[in-house]
Amino acid sequence: MISKNRLTPSGWAIIVLGISALALGGCGRKGPLDLPPTANVAPGAAPSDTESERAAQPSVFNPTYGSEAAPAAPRGNKRPFILDPLLGN
């Protein structure tokens, strides 16, 4: 008994769509979630001197370096986007 286990074009489409969904699911900004504007920020523990000194030094392994700095370019004019009516903007 010989069985044919070849994928049909719809099977390949499902595989391609699944892989692309997984790949695009990893896109985005790296970092913690943003708090809502009305959320109260809980005061954290004060960092020690060595931690604050380490945070002030530029490094490949320090993703927070320069995060308190002002943006390099000013905000431009808002450009219309095709999905703006759906988003309510």
Side-chain angles (χ1 to χ4, degrees):
M1 183 164 123
I2 299 174
S3 64
K4 294 183 179 182
N5 289 334
R6 292 188 177 198
L7 287 176
T8 62
S10 62
W12 280 110
I14 291 172
I15 290 173
V16 169
L17 287 174
I19 290 173
S20 60
L22 289 174
L24 291 175
C27 295
R29 187 172 53 126
K30 182 179 178 183
L33 295 174
D34 294 335
L35 293 175
T38 58
N40 293 332
V41 178
S48 65
D49 291 333
T50 57
E51 289 177 2
S52 61
E53 290 172 2
R54 204 175 314 133
Q57 296 175 352
S59 172
V60 174
F61 302 108
N62 187 2
T64 60
Y65 176 72
S67 61
E68 288 83 23
R75 290 187 79 161
N77 295 336
K78 183 178 185 228
R79 298 184 318 201
F81 184 65
I82 195 166
L83 295 179
D84 280 345
L86 294 176
L87 299 174
N89 293 337

